[in-house]
Amino acid sequence: MESAVLIITLFSVVFFIVHELSLIKNNEWKMFKFLKRYKEHKQKLIFLYLHLPLPSLLIFYLYAVFIYGIYEVFIAVNILAILYFITQLFLLKHLSSKYKTATSAISISGLAITGTLNLYFFPYLIV
């Protein structure tokens, strides 16, 4: 069952990466009011620099859980994925339509589904 959880987790990582790419493609840094005082090019750079460490954190996540057995990280990341989905549902009515893309919706939904599945199968992981 550990291999099934690993596959679900890898799907989760893929959904996260697709979501990050969707953020960049759709210029979503423009919705952050604190960046508006900068020129557009600088806004994009700040946004990218803030998101740059995320791939490293994903590698840490995979190693921490599947190599070192730090299951607290596993639980925290999957709960955050579900909470992120819930947050996005609340934000949907406030965002303009250009931020409501199918790619973003699929990737965020995929994160929530894989997070829920991971939490459901968690007892099988620690056996």
Side-chain angles (χ1 to χ4, degrees):
M1 196 54 132
E2 185 176 334
S3 59
V5 174
L6 175 61
I7 290 169
I8 294 168
T9 303
L10 290 174
F11 271 107
S12 181
V13 168
V14 169
F15 283 127
F16 183 76
I17 291 170
V18 168
H19 177 63
E20 289 299 313
L21 292 174
S22 174
L23 293 176
I24 295 166
K25 179 184 172 279
N26 295 319
N27 301 329
E28 291 201 19
W29 60 83
K30 291 180 180 178
M31 69 179 163
F32 294 107
K33 293 184 183 196
F34 69 92
L35 291 176
K36 294 213 188 272
R37 60 182 161 190
Y38 302 109
K39 293 180 182 175
E40 186 172 344
H41 179 69
K42 193 165 186 173
Q43 291 175 8
K44 183 178 182 179
L45 286 177
I46 292 170
F47 187 80
L48 289 174
Y49 287 144
L50 290 174
H51 286 79
L52 201 58
L54 294 176
S56 301
L57 291 174
L58 289 174
I59 293 169
F60 166 75
Y61 166 63
L62 293 172
Y63 268 95
V65 174
F66 293 100
I67 304 296
Y68 298 110
I70 305 173
Y71 298 119
E72 294 84 0
V73 173
F74 182 79
I75 292 170
V77 166
N78 287 294
I79 289 173
L80 285 173
I82 296 167
L83 291 175
Y84 186 68
F85 174 75
I86 293 168
T87 303
Q88 291 299 315
L89 287 177
F90 285 117
L91 289 176
L92 273 177
K93 61 182 173 184
H94 300 294
L95 296 176
S96 68
S97 61
K98 74 176 186 174
Y99 299 122
K100 299 176 189 176
T101 63
T103 307
S104 189
I106 291 169
S107 60
I108 293 169
S109 300
L111 271 172
I113 291 168
T114 55
T116 303
L117 287 172
N118 275 337
L119 291 175
Y120 178 76
F121 289 120
F122 176 70
Y124 300 106
L125 183 63
I126 58 173
V127 171

PDB file of all heavy atoms in Angstrom, residues 26 28 91-105:
ATOM      1  N   ASN A  26      -0.848  33.023 -15.930  1.00  0.00           N
ATOM      2  CA  ASN A  26      -1.998  33.927 -15.842  1.00  0.00           C
ATOM      3  C   ASN A  26      -1.698  35.248 -15.140  1.00  0.00           C
ATOM      4  O   ASN A  26      -2.628  35.988 -14.815  1.00  0.00           O
ATOM      5  CB  ASN A  26      -3.155  33.231 -15.132  1.00  0.00           C
ATOM      6  CG  ASN A  26      -3.660  32.065 -15.924  1.00  0.00           C
ATOM      7  OD1 ASN A  26      -3.776  32.132 -17.138  1.00  0.00           O
ATOM      8  ND2 ASN A  26      -3.944  30.973 -15.250  1.00  0.00           N
ATOM      9  N   GLU A  28      -0.812  36.028 -12.133  1.00  0.00           N
ATOM     10  CA  GLU A  28      -1.597  36.146 -10.910  1.00  0.00           C
ATOM     11  C   GLU A  28      -0.932  36.998  -9.829  1.00  0.00           C
ATOM     12  O   GLU A  28      -1.536  37.266  -8.807  1.00  0.00           O
ATOM     13  CB  GLU A  28      -1.951  34.751 -10.376  1.00  0.00           C
ATOM     14  CG  GLU A  28      -2.928  34.056 -11.288  1.00  0.00           C
ATOM     15  CD  GLU A  28      -3.696  32.945 -10.628  1.00  0.00           C
ATOM     16  OE1 GLU A  28      -3.757  32.901  -9.389  1.00  0.00           O
ATOM     17  OE2 GLU A  28      -4.242  32.122 -11.369  1.00  0.00           O
ATOM     18  N   LEU A  91     -12.376  32.386  -2.378  1.00  0.00           N
ATOM     19  CA  LEU A  91     -11.836  33.472  -3.189  1.00  0.00           C
ATOM     20  C   LEU A  91     -12.451  33.540  -4.578  1.00  0.00           C
ATOM     21  O   LEU A  91     -12.354  34.575  -5.241  1.00  0.00           O
ATOM     22  CB  LEU A  91     -10.318  33.321  -3.321  1.00  0.00           C
ATOM     23  CG  LEU A  91      -9.499  33.597  -2.066  1.00  0.00           C
ATOM     24  CD1 LEU A  91      -8.035  33.310  -2.320  1.00  0.00           C
ATOM     25  CD2 LEU A  91      -9.680  35.027  -1.610  1.00  0.00           C
ATOM     26  N   LEU A  92     -13.066  32.473  -5.031  1.00  0.00           N
ATOM     27  CA  LEU A  92     -13.616  32.443  -6.385  1.00  0.00           C
ATOM     28  C   LEU A  92     -14.568  33.597  -6.665  1.00  0.00           C
ATOM     29  O   LEU A  92     -14.561  34.163  -7.748  1.00  0.00           O
ATOM     30  CB  LEU A  92     -14.338  31.115  -6.638  1.00  0.00           C
ATOM     31  CG  LEU A  92     -13.480  29.981  -7.143  1.00  0.00           C
ATOM     32  CD1 LEU A  92     -14.307  28.716  -7.282  1.00  0.00           C
ATOM     33  CD2 LEU A  92     -12.810  30.321  -8.455  1.00  0.00           C
ATOM     34  N   LYS A  93     -15.373  33.939  -5.707  1.00  0.00           N
ATOM     35  CA  LYS A  93     -16.338  35.010  -5.951  1.00  0.00           C
ATOM     36  C   LYS A  93     -15.694  36.391  -5.941  1.00  0.00           C
ATOM     37  O   LYS A  93     -16.290  37.346  -6.416  1.00  0.00           O
ATOM     38  CB  LYS A  93     -17.479  34.939  -4.939  1.00  0.00           C
ATOM     39  CG  LYS A  93     -17.070  35.097  -3.506  1.00  0.00           C
ATOM     40  CD  LYS A  93     -18.273  34.952  -2.600  1.00  0.00           C
ATOM     41  CE  LYS A  93     -17.825  34.937  -1.155  1.00  0.00           C
ATOM     42  NZ  LYS A  93     -18.926  34.710  -0.262  1.00  0.00           N
ATOM     43  N   HIS A  94     -14.464  36.498  -5.454  1.00  0.00           N
ATOM     44  CA  HIS A  94     -13.803  37.795  -5.386  1.00  0.00           C
ATOM     45  C   HIS A  94     -12.803  38.020  -6.512  1.00  0.00           C
ATOM     46  O   HIS A  94     -12.412  39.152  -6.752  1.00  0.00           O
ATOM     47  CB  HIS A  94     -13.075  37.953  -4.049  1.00  0.00           C
ATOM     48  CG  HIS A  94     -13.994  37.873  -2.873  1.00  0.00           C
ATOM     49  ND1 HIS A  94     -14.962  38.811  -2.625  1.00  0.00           N
ATOM     50  CD2 HIS A  94     -14.105  36.947  -1.894  1.00  0.00           C
ATOM     51  CE1 HIS A  94     -15.634  38.483  -1.537  1.00  0.00           C
ATOM     52  NE2 HIS A  94     -15.133  37.351  -1.075  1.00  0.00           N
ATOM     53  N   LEU A  95     -12.392  36.950  -7.174  1.00  0.00           N
ATOM     54  CA  LEU A  95     -11.387  37.094  -8.224  1.00  0.00           C
ATOM     55  C   LEU A  95     -12.039  37.407  -9.561  1.00  0.00           C
ATOM     56  O   LEU A  95     -13.161  37.007  -9.827  1.00  0.00           O
ATOM     57  CB  LEU A  95     -10.574  35.798  -8.357  1.00  0.00           C
ATOM     58  CG  LEU A  95      -9.742  35.393  -7.148  1.00  0.00           C
ATOM     59  CD1 LEU A  95      -9.081  34.062  -7.408  1.00  0.00           C
ATOM     60  CD2 LEU A  95      -8.700  36.443  -6.849  1.00  0.00           C
ATOM     61  N   SER A  96     -11.318  38.110 -10.403  1.00  0.00           N
ATOM     62  CA  SER A  96     -11.844  38.372 -11.743  1.00  0.00           C
ATOM     63  C   SER A  96     -11.788  37.081 -12.552  1.00  0.00           C
ATOM     64  O   SER A  96     -11.067  36.145 -12.215  1.00  0.00           O
ATOM     65  CB  SER A  96     -11.036  39.468 -12.424  1.00  0.00           C
ATOM     66  OG  SER A  96      -9.730  39.021 -12.706  1.00  0.00           O
ATOM     67  N   SER A  97     -12.510  37.043 -13.641  1.00  0.00           N
ATOM     68  CA  SER A  97     -12.650  35.812 -14.416  1.00  0.00           C
ATOM     69  C   SER A  97     -11.336  35.357 -15.047  1.00  0.00           C
ATOM     70  O   SER A  97     -11.179  34.193 -15.362  1.00  0.00           O
ATOM     71  CB  SER A  97     -13.713  35.979 -15.501  1.00  0.00           C
ATOM     72  OG  SER A  97     -13.339  37.013 -16.375  1.00  0.00           O
ATOM     73  N   LYS A  98     -10.380  36.264 -15.220  1.00  0.00           N
ATOM     74  CA  LYS A  98      -9.121  35.840 -15.842  1.00  0.00           C
ATOM     75  C   LYS A  98      -8.296  34.935 -14.917  1.00  0.00           C
ATOM     76  O   LYS A  98      -7.401  34.243 -15.364  1.00  0.00           O
ATOM     77  CB  LYS A  98      -8.306  37.043 -16.299  1.00  0.00           C
ATOM     78  CG  LYS A  98      -7.630  37.825 -15.211  1.00  0.00           C
ATOM     79  CD  LYS A  98      -6.792  38.921 -15.832  1.00  0.00           C
ATOM     80  CE  LYS A  98      -5.985  39.622 -14.785  1.00  0.00           C
ATOM     81  NZ  LYS A  98      -5.067  40.578 -15.353  1.00  0.00           N
ATOM     82  N   TYR A  99      -8.606  34.923 -13.629  1.00  0.00           N
ATOM     83  CA  TYR A  99      -7.900  34.041 -12.710  1.00  0.00           C
ATOM     84  C   TYR A  99      -8.633  32.708 -12.519  1.00  0.00           C
ATOM     85  O   TYR A  99      -8.129  31.820 -11.850  1.00  0.00           O
ATOM     86  CB  TYR A  99      -7.713  34.713 -11.354  1.00  0.00           C
ATOM     87  CG  TYR A  99      -6.894  35.971 -11.427  1.00  0.00           C
ATOM     88  CD1 TYR A  99      -7.411  37.182 -10.993  1.00  0.00           C
ATOM     89  CD2 TYR A  99      -5.606  35.959 -11.944  1.00  0.00           C
ATOM     90  CE1 TYR A  99      -6.658  38.337 -11.071  1.00  0.00           C
ATOM     91  CE2 TYR A  99      -4.857  37.120 -12.029  1.00  0.00           C
ATOM     92  CZ  TYR A  99      -5.387  38.299 -11.586  1.00  0.00           C
ATOM     93  OH  TYR A  99      -4.642  39.441 -11.666  1.00  0.00           O
ATOM     94  N   LYS A 100      -9.807  32.575 -13.084  1.00  0.00           N
ATOM     95  CA  LYS A 100     -10.599  31.359 -12.932  1.00  0.00           C
ATOM     96  C   LYS A 100     -10.411  30.477 -14.165  1.00  0.00           C
ATOM     97  O   LYS A 100     -11.305  30.328 -14.979  1.00  0.00           O
ATOM     98  CB  LYS A 100     -12.074  31.702 -12.755  1.00  0.00           C
ATOM     99  CG  LYS A 100     -12.367  32.526 -11.538  1.00  0.00           C
ATOM    100  CD  LYS A 100     -13.833  32.893 -11.509  1.00  0.00           C
ATOM    101  CE  LYS A 100     -14.121  33.896 -10.416  1.00  0.00           C
ATOM    102  NZ  LYS A 100     -15.504  34.344 -10.419  1.00  0.00           N
ATOM    103  N   THR A 101      -9.248  29.897 -14.310  1.00  0.00           N
ATOM    104  CA  THR A 101      -8.972  29.065 -15.469  1.00  0.00           C
ATOM    105  C   THR A 101      -9.224  27.599 -15.148  1.00  0.00           C
ATOM    106  O   THR A 101      -9.190  27.190 -13.986  1.00  0.00           O
ATOM    107  CB  THR A 101      -7.513  29.235 -15.932  1.00  0.00           C
ATOM    108  OG1 THR A 101      -6.642  28.782 -14.887  1.00  0.00           O
ATOM    109  CG2 THR A 101      -7.203  30.687 -16.252  1.00  0.00           C
ATOM    110  N   ALA A 102      -9.445  26.824 -16.187  1.00  0.00           N
ATOM    111  CA  ALA A 102      -9.675  25.387 -16.013  1.00  0.00           C
ATOM    112  C   ALA A 102      -8.430  24.705 -15.452  1.00  0.00           C
ATOM    113  O   ALA A 102      -8.532  23.828 -14.590  1.00  0.00           O
ATOM    114  CB  ALA A 102     -10.083  24.759 -17.344  1.00  0.00           C
ATOM    115  N   THR A 103      -7.266  25.118 -15.916  1.00  0.00           N
ATOM    116  CA  THR A 103      -6.022  24.522 -15.426  1.00  0.00           C
ATOM    117  C   THR A 103      -5.870  24.731 -13.932  1.00  0.00           C
ATOM    118  O   THR A 103      -5.521  23.811 -13.192  1.00  0.00           O
ATOM    119  CB  THR A 103      -4.811  25.131 -16.160  1.00  0.00           C
ATOM    120  OG1 THR A 103      -5.012  25.012 -17.559  1.00  0.00           O
ATOM    121  CG2 THR A 103      -3.531  24.443 -15.767  1.00  0.00           C
ATOM    122  N   SER A 104      -6.140  25.928 -13.490  1.00  0.00           N
ATOM    123  CA  SER A 104      -6.036  26.238 -12.074  1.00  0.00           C
ATOM    124  C   SER A 104      -7.061  25.440 -11.266  1.00  0.00           C
ATOM    125  O   SER A 104      -6.748  24.876 -10.213  1.00  0.00           O
ATOM    126  CB  SER A 104      -6.220  27.735 -11.856  1.00  0.00           C
ATOM    127  OG  SER A 104      -5.918  28.080 -10.533  1.00  0.00           O
ATOM    128  N   ALA A 105      -8.290  25.372 -11.769  1.00  0.00           N
ATOM    129  CA  ALA A 105      -9.338  24.635 -11.058  1.00  0.00           C
ATOM    130  C   ALA A 105      -9.015  23.150 -10.964  1.00  0.00           C
ATOM    131  O   ALA A 105      -9.181  22.524  -9.910  1.00  0.00           O
ATOM    132  CB  ALA A 105     -10.676  24.837 -11.759  1.00  0.00           C
TER     133      ALA A 105
END
